[in-house]
Amino acid sequence: MTDGNGKKDVASFKVKAGLAQMLKGGVIMDVVTAEHAKIAEDAGAVAVMALERVPADIRADGGVARMSDPELILQIMEAVSIPVMAKVRIGHFVEAQILESLGVDYIDESEVLTPADEAHHIHKHPFKVPFVCGCRNLGEALRRIAEGAAMIRTKGEAGTGDVVEAVRHARSVFGEIHRLQTMADEELFTYAKDLGAPVALVQEVKELGRLPVVNFAAGGIATPADAALMMQLGVDGVFVGSGIFKSGDPAKRAAAIVKATTHFRDAKILAEVSRNLGEPMVGRQVTDIPDEERIAGRGW
Amino acid sequence: MTKPVVGVLALQGDFAEHIAVLRRLGAETREVRLPADLAGLDALIIPGGESTTIGKLAAEYELIEPLRKFGAARPVWGTCAGAILLSRDATRAKHGQPLLGLMDITVQRNAFGRQVDSFETSLDVPALAAVADDNPPFSAVFIRAPMIESADAPDVEVLASLEDGTIVAARQGKLLATSFHPELNQDDRFHQYFLSLLP
């Protein structure tokens, strides 16, 4: 006889990356209140991201953006049965310790908030709670994974409603993976150096033909067509921030984006869900935003 | 013999992982998103994912009745969220969350707690001896997992339990439910076992 049914191993990397696997093909929605969270859950969101202001407001208001009030996060956790994620500032490991103690399901170490450390990200491996981090390219993604991120999202430019940066970052990651796959094994060492990424992870990506963790798109997705565009480019799912609750009819738009993410190759369904959604978020063209106001550049 | 065609419900979740294992085992596969995709399938897997999302999309695209009909005649396996969908009754489900009611089991959603309580463990699964001569413990990944609270009919066979007696895998005829995710392992025994249920 075997000796199965043994002890439980919590918080292994497989368990942390595993939750992201379960979110694939889904939409994760930014919410600032329990009321929003319920609308998101009813619309079919796979998870909600709790934050104190959506990125469009952070952009408009200025000032320092921080982790949300724990009271608000607890209210959101109480209100819905789907996973709840919350954001911490880059490098702010104490905000992460606080979120872990609340029992949030995922932490987003996010460039949308004001960075707390301009050289280092959080050492994420020791935490029981998994982390998702943003990236603009393969090197950035692999640095975050080396630090312990169990999920990656391309950054896009949050709070703009302009999908152009999300596309740029997804194309950059997938393009670099394609290049990597055409390289001889001896070329990987120098390529790893150029990327600023650990060689073991570069070798793993070549073998897998993809990132070793789930990769969502974020930053500027505002319509069902935007979501389907990112899915067709090859991401595993989408984050929608300001795009839903800054639009005219959040419940309807949220449900439409969920359907578009599932049926992302079915143009007939995409046409049908895109009809009569009301006003989209106003949006701001990324090319009109001066470099110093752009968020995606935060992260090292 | 022609290859079996196994569908994987692809509304949301880790359907690609199931498809990869099935291909490894020589089955033909198809992603199922609309009722028409069920035509001609020999069996179906409902993957892990968010059960409220999968249930909502299944209801909106009128898949509930076709899935019930399919499961009345052919093998269906639900992993995690899929096990919730297969069940007759689910506690802690979201109000109005649709269930297929195919298997006479009561499932408790998010039974082990939140993500920080998710875990890996090894399970004795004697039934897998049918597909593997050597039958070592099966490494099982539980992610915000449901438990099978009760087997509600005499023909529901418990395939695996945790040390404390919690049921985490069960079979009723051609229907299979697991709280955990064999598709996240490189160990194909559960998929082989499921394919052995095909006529």
Side-chain angles (χ1 to χ4, degrees):
Chain A
M1 269 310 279
T2 53
D3 60 344
N5 308 12
K7 73 171 185 27
K8 294 177 177 180
D9 181 10
V10 297
S12 64
F13 192 74
K14 190 168 195 175
V15 165
K16 293 195 220 173
L19 177 57
Q21 296 283 355
M22 300 312 138
L23 303 174
K24 286 196 300 190
V27 183
I28 299 169
M29 302 181 191
D30 276 0
V31 298
V32 298
T33 64
E35 206 47 51
H36 279 183
K38 282 187 197 151
I39 292 170
E41 185 181 42
D42 286 340
V46 289
V48 291
M49 175 73 71
L51 71 176
E52 61 172 358
R53 289 173 287 167
V54 294
D57 289 337
I58 292 174
R59 201 175 267 292
D61 301 350
V64 176
R66 309 179 179 89
M67 173 187 80
S68 296
D69 184 334
E71 174 60 26
L72 190 89
I73 297 169
L74 288 168
Q75 284 171 13
I76 289 169
M77 287 166 63
E78 191 60 38
V80 295
S81 63
I82 56 178
V84 175
M85 302 181 164
K87 285 184 193 290
V88 300
R89 286 177 265 178
I90 289 173
H92 206 315
F93 51 86
V94 173
E95 286 186 346
Q97 291 163 3
I98 291 169
L99 289 186
E100 180 173 65
S101 82
L102 297 179
V104 302
D105 295 294
Y106 240 94
I107 293 176
D108 185 359
E109 186 184 17
S110 179
E111 70 282 0
V112 168
L113 306 185
T114 310
D117 189 325
E118 293 196 327
H120 309 99
H121 283 250
I122 297 171
H123 178 24
K124 294 168 269 284
H125 279 296
F127 285 84
K128 275 169 68 181
V129 58
F131 283 75
V132 55
C133 290
C135 77
R136 286 160 297 169
N137 50 50
L138 182 59
E140 198 173 9
L142 296 183
R143 287 195 291 281
R144 299 295 86 78
I145 294 167
E147 295 154 0
M151 178 178 183
I152 289 292
R153 54 175 176 73
T154 47
K155 285 178 177 172
E157 187 61 29
T160 60
D162 185 347
V163 81
V164 67
E165 293 299 300
V167 170
R168 188 193 317 280
H169 299 154
R171 285 221 184 262
S172 161
V173 170
F174 296 130
E176 283 159 335
I177 292 173
H178 288 151
R179 265 187 69 200
L180 182 55
Q181 287 190 287
T182 65
M183 286 184 190
D185 286 344
E186 62 268 26
E187 293 177 273
L188 301 187
F189 301 94
T190 303
Y191 193 52
K193 187 188 76 180
D194 295 344
L195 289 176
V199 70
L201 283 173
V202 173
Q203 288 164 330
E204 189 180 354
V205 169
K206 184 188 173 189
E207 210 165 289
L208 295 171
R210 57 159 295 142
L211 290 180
V213 300
V214 166
N215 176 21
F216 272 44
I221 296 160
T223 68
D226 289 347
L229 172 67
M230 298 315 298
M231 291 297 289
Q232 286 199 29
L233 284 174
V235 301
D236 296 316
V238 296
F239 284 86
V240 184
S242 322
I244 290 171
F245 289 100
K246 285 285 163 190
S247 73
D249 188 343
K252 196 170 176 188
R253 182 166 295 264
I257 293 176
V258 168
K259 290 177 196 164
T261 303
T262 289
H263 298 284
F264 65 94
R265 280 200 197 92
D266 190 329
K268 257 176 129 171
I269 290 183
L270 295 176
E272 185 190 302
V273 303
S274 300
R275 288 167 67 178
N276 299 316
L277 288 184
E279 282 300 304
M281 72 176 282
V282 173
R284 190 166 169 203
Q285 203 175 312
V286 172
T287 45
D288 291 346
I289 301 174
D291 277 353
E292 62 275 14
E293 285 178 34
R294 294 195 191 184
I295 286 170
R298 299 165 170 176
W300 352 106
Chain B
M1 211 183 95
T2 55
K3 279 187 184 180
V5 187
V6 182
V8 182
L9 194 66
L11 295 172
Q12 189 271 318
D14 71 337
F15 52 88
E17 279 61 34
H18 276 293
I19 288 172
V21 183
L22 291 167
R23 289 200 179 144
R24 212 150 60 210
L25 295 174
E28 243 181 77
T29 59
R30 188 190 302 159
E31 295 179 3
V32 174
R33 290 187 176 81
L34 295 169
D37 300 329
L38 288 168
L41 293 180
D42 297 304
L44 181 77
I45 293 177
I46 306 176
E50 184 44 54
S51 65
T52 53
T53 303
I54 296 173
K56 186 183 164 63
L57 287 162
E60 298 239 359
Y61 288 94
E62 293 174 346
L63 268 158
I64 300 290
E65 276 315 312
L67 286 171
R68 283 183 181 141
K69 271 192 197 136
F70 188 92
R74 292 181 199 81
V76 181
W77 173 19
T79 59
C80 194
I84 297 172
L85 253 87
L86 275 183
S87 69
R88 174 88 52 212
D89 202 4
T91 54
R92 289 205 214 162
K94 182 176 176 310
H95 182 69
Q97 183 177 340
L99 303 175
L100 299 177
L102 282 165
M103 260 181 101
D104 293 311
I105 53 174
T106 302
V107 166
Q108 189 187 125
R109 186 166 165 246
N110 296 341
F112 299 93
R114 305 193 71 94
Q115 173 60 16
V116 288
D117 307 305
S118 292
F119 61 96
E120 275 185 85
T121 192
S122 57
L123 292 174
D124 255 339
V125 192
L128 295 182
V131 294
D133 295 337
D134 183 26
N135 193 26
F138 193 90
S139 170
V141 188
F142 292 78
I143 295 166
R144 286 177 49 103
M147 65 161 89
I148 300 171
E149 220 170 57
S150 58
D152 305 328
D155 62 335
V156 177
E157 182 191 349
V158 174
L159 298 184
S161 307
L162 298 178
E163 250 179 353
D164 63 2
T166 303
I167 306 171
V168 292
R171 175 190 161 183
Q172 185 177 25
K174 292 181 187 316
L175 304 170
L176 186 59
T178 55
S179 303
F180 50 94
H181 297 281
E183 73 277 15
L184 293 183
N185 289 357
Q186 291 303 309
D187 184 340
D188 298 344
R189 283 177 290 161
F190 252 101
H191 288 80
Q192 285 173 299
Y193 179 75
F194 178 62
L195 292 177
S196 79
L197 303 180
L198 270 76

